[in-house]
Amino acid sequence: MSGVPWVINAEIYPLKLRSAAVGQATVSNWLFNYLVGRYFLTLCGIAGTSGAFMVFAGCSVLGGIWMYVMLPETMGLELEEIDALFKDPYPNLGAQAGNKNKKQLEDANSDENSSSDENSSSVEDLLESD
Protein backbone atom coordinates (compact mmCIF):
# COMPACT_ATOMS: atom_id res chain seq x y z
CA MET A 1 0.00 0.00 0.00
CA SER A 2 1.35 3.41 -0.91
CA GLY A 3 0.99 6.69 0.93
CA VAL A 4 -1.92 7.84 -1.25
CA PRO A 5 -4.66 6.78 1.21
CA TRP A 6 -2.96 8.72 4.00
CA VAL A 7 -2.64 11.85 1.86
CA ILE A 8 -6.26 11.73 0.72
CA ASN A 9 -7.36 10.93 4.25
CA ALA A 10 -5.65 14.06 5.53
CA GLU A 11 -7.32 16.30 2.91
CA ILE A 12 -10.96 15.28 2.65
CA TYR A 13 -12.32 16.08 6.11
CA PRO A 14 -13.50 19.49 7.29
CA LEU A 15 -10.96 21.26 9.47
CA LYS A 16 -13.02 21.07 12.66
CA LEU A 17 -13.41 17.26 12.30
CA ARG A 18 -10.08 16.40 10.69
CA SER A 19 -8.15 15.07 13.71
CA ALA A 20 -11.01 12.87 14.96
CA ALA A 21 -11.80 11.58 11.46
CA VAL A 22 -8.16 10.75 10.68
CA GLY A 23 -7.96 8.94 14.02
CA GLN A 24 -11.04 6.88 13.19
CA ALA A 25 -9.69 6.07 9.74
CA THR A 26 -6.39 4.93 11.27
CA VAL A 27 -8.21 2.66 13.74
CA SER A 28 -10.28 1.26 10.88
CA ASN A 29 -7.14 0.62 8.84
CA TRP A 30 -5.45 -1.26 11.68
CA LEU A 31 -8.66 -3.20 12.46
CA PHE A 32 -8.93 -4.47 8.88
CA ASN A 33 -5.19 -5.24 8.82
CA TYR A 34 -5.74 -7.37 11.92
CA LEU A 35 -8.78 -9.12 10.41
CA VAL A 36 -6.89 -9.98 7.22
CA GLY A 37 -3.97 -11.36 9.22
CA ARG A 38 -6.23 -13.24 11.63
CA TYR A 39 -8.48 -14.95 9.07
CA PHE A 40 -6.15 -15.42 6.09
CA LEU A 41 -5.03 -18.93 7.07
CA THR A 42 -8.58 -19.92 7.98
CA LEU A 43 -9.77 -18.72 4.58
CA CYS A 44 -6.88 -20.57 2.90
CA GLY A 45 -8.03 -23.76 4.63
CA ILE A 46 -11.61 -23.27 3.39
CA ALA A 47 -11.10 -21.91 -0.13
CA GLY A 48 -7.44 -22.66 -0.82
CA THR A 49 -4.68 -20.12 -1.25
CA SER A 50 -5.90 -18.92 -4.63
CA GLY A 51 -9.46 -18.68 -3.33
CA ALA A 52 -8.32 -16.56 -0.38
CA PHE A 53 -6.47 -14.21 -2.69
CA MET A 54 -9.53 -14.03 -4.95
CA VAL A 55 -11.71 -12.99 -1.99
CA PHE A 56 -9.30 -10.20 -1.09
CA ALA A 57 -8.90 -9.21 -4.75
CA GLY A 58 -12.69 -8.99 -5.06
CA CYS A 59 -12.84 -6.73 -2.00
CA SER A 60 -10.11 -4.54 -3.54
CA VAL A 61 -11.95 -4.28 -6.87
CA LEU A 62 -15.21 -3.34 -5.14
CA GLY A 63 -13.36 -0.75 -3.03
CA GLY A 64 -11.68 0.66 -6.14
CA ILE A 65 -15.02 1.02 -7.93
CA TRP A 66 -16.53 2.72 -4.89
CA MET A 67 -13.60 5.15 -4.71
CA TYR A 68 -13.82 5.95 -8.43
CA VAL A 69 -17.52 6.76 -8.08
CA MET A 70 -17.50 8.58 -4.76
CA LEU A 71 -14.13 10.35 -4.48
CA PRO A 72 -13.76 13.57 -6.50
CA GLU A 73 -10.43 14.67 -7.94
CA THR A 74 -8.54 16.91 -5.48
CA MET A 75 -5.23 17.40 -7.28
CA GLY A 76 -4.11 21.03 -7.27
CA LEU A 77 -6.97 22.26 -5.08
CA GLU A 78 -6.71 24.26 -1.87
CA LEU A 79 -8.20 22.76 1.31
CA GLU A 80 -11.11 25.23 1.16
CA GLU A 81 -11.88 24.17 -2.41
CA ILE A 82 -11.78 20.51 -1.39
CA ASP A 83 -14.23 21.31 1.39
CA ALA A 84 -16.58 22.81 -1.22
CA LEU A 85 -16.39 19.60 -3.27
CA PHE A 86 -17.69 17.55 -0.35
CA LYS A 87 -20.77 19.66 0.27
CA ASP A 88 -22.73 17.17 -1.86
CA PRO A 89 -22.26 13.66 -0.40
CA TYR A 90 -23.39 11.94 -3.63
CA PRO A 91 -21.40 13.18 -6.64
CA ASN A 92 -22.53 12.46 -10.19
CA LEU A 93 -21.01 9.56 -12.10
CA GLY A 94 -18.48 9.65 -14.95
CA ALA A 95 -17.80 12.78 -16.97
CA GLN A 96 -20.59 14.71 -15.27
CA ALA A 97 -18.65 14.56 -12.00
CA GLY A 98 -15.86 16.73 -13.41
CA ASN A 99 -18.33 19.34 -14.65
CA LYS A 100 -20.17 19.31 -11.34
CA ASN A 101 -16.90 19.70 -9.42
CA LYS A 102 -16.00 22.72 -11.55
CA LYS A 103 -19.45 24.21 -10.98
CA GLN A 104 -19.19 23.68 -7.22
CA LEU A 105 -15.79 25.37 -7.19
CA GLU A 106 -17.09 28.29 -9.24
CA ASP A 107 -20.05 28.65 -6.88
CA ALA A 108 -17.78 28.52 -3.84
CA ASN A 109 -15.40 31.06 -5.36
CA SER A 110 -18.25 33.39 -6.32
CA ASP A 111 -19.64 33.16 -2.77
CA GLU A 112 -16.21 34.02 -1.36
CA ASN A 113 -15.80 36.92 -3.81
CA SER A 114 -19.25 38.30 -3.08
CA SER A 115 -18.65 38.11 0.67
CA SER A 116 -15.27 39.83 0.27
CA ASP A 117 -16.93 42.51 -1.91
CA GLU A 118 -19.56 43.03 0.78
CA ASN A 119 -16.85 43.31 3.43
CA SER A 120 -14.82 45.75 1.38
CA SER A 121 -17.83 47.95 0.69
CA SER A 122 -18.74 48.01 4.37
CA VAL A 123 -15.16 49.02 5.23
CA GLU A 124 -15.32 51.75 2.59
CA ASP A 125 -18.60 52.97 4.06
CA LEU A 126 -17.00 53.10 7.49
CA LEU A 127 -14.04 55.07 6.17
CA GLU A 128 -16.30 57.54 4.38
CA SER A 129 -18.39 58.09 7.49
CA ASP A 130 -15.31 59.26 9.44
Side-chain angles (χ1 to χ4, degrees), residues 6 23-36:
W6 297 106
Q24 289 176 354
T26 302
V27 168
S28 174
N29 181 30
W30 281 105
L31 174 67
F32 281 101
N33 284 337
Y34 168 77
L35 292 174
V36 168

Side-chain angles (χ1 to χ4, degrees), residues 33-43:
N33 284 337
Y34 168 77
L35 292 174
V36 168
R38 170 70 179 91
Y39 292 107
F40 178 73
L41 292 177
T42 305
L43 192 56

Side-chain angles (χ1 to χ4, degrees), residues 5-127:
W6 297 106
V7 172
I8 291 174
N9 192 33
E11 290 181 346
I12 64 174
Y13 303 115
L15 187 57
K16 63 183 178 181
L17 301 174
R18 186 166 295 144
S19 61
V22 169
Q24 289 176 354
T26 302
V27 168
S28 174
N29 181 30
W30 281 105
L31 174 67
F32 281 101
N33 284 337
Y34 168 77
L35 292 174
V36 168
R38 170 70 179 91
Y39 292 107
F40 178 73
L41 292 177
T42 305
L43 192 56
C44 282
I46 295 170
T49 305
S50 62
F53 278 103
M54 292 303 268
V55 167
F56 293 126
C59 291
S60 295
V61 168
L62 290 175
I65 291 169
W66 181 84
M67 281 184 19
Y68 178 77
V69 170
M70 298 301 291
L71 188 65
E73 178 61 55
T74 60
M75 184 173 69
L77 300 179
E78 305 266 338
L79 289 176
E80 294 79 15
E81 294 171 328
I82 293 171
D83 191 35
L85 288 177
F86 286 98
K87 297 254 186 240
D88 180 12
Y90 304 104
N92 288 339
L93 302 177
Q96 294 177 352
N99 293 335
K100 185 176 182 185
N101 292 345
K102 288 178 186 175
K103 184 179 182 317
Q104 286 177 337
L105 286 175
E106 289 170 0
D107 291 344
N109 288 337
S110 68
D111 290 344
E112 289 175 9
N113 291 339
S114 65
S115 66
S116 66
D117 290 342
E118 291 171 3
N119 291 339
S120 64
S121 64
S122 62
V123 169
E124 291 171 1
D125 292 339
L126 289 173
L127 291 175

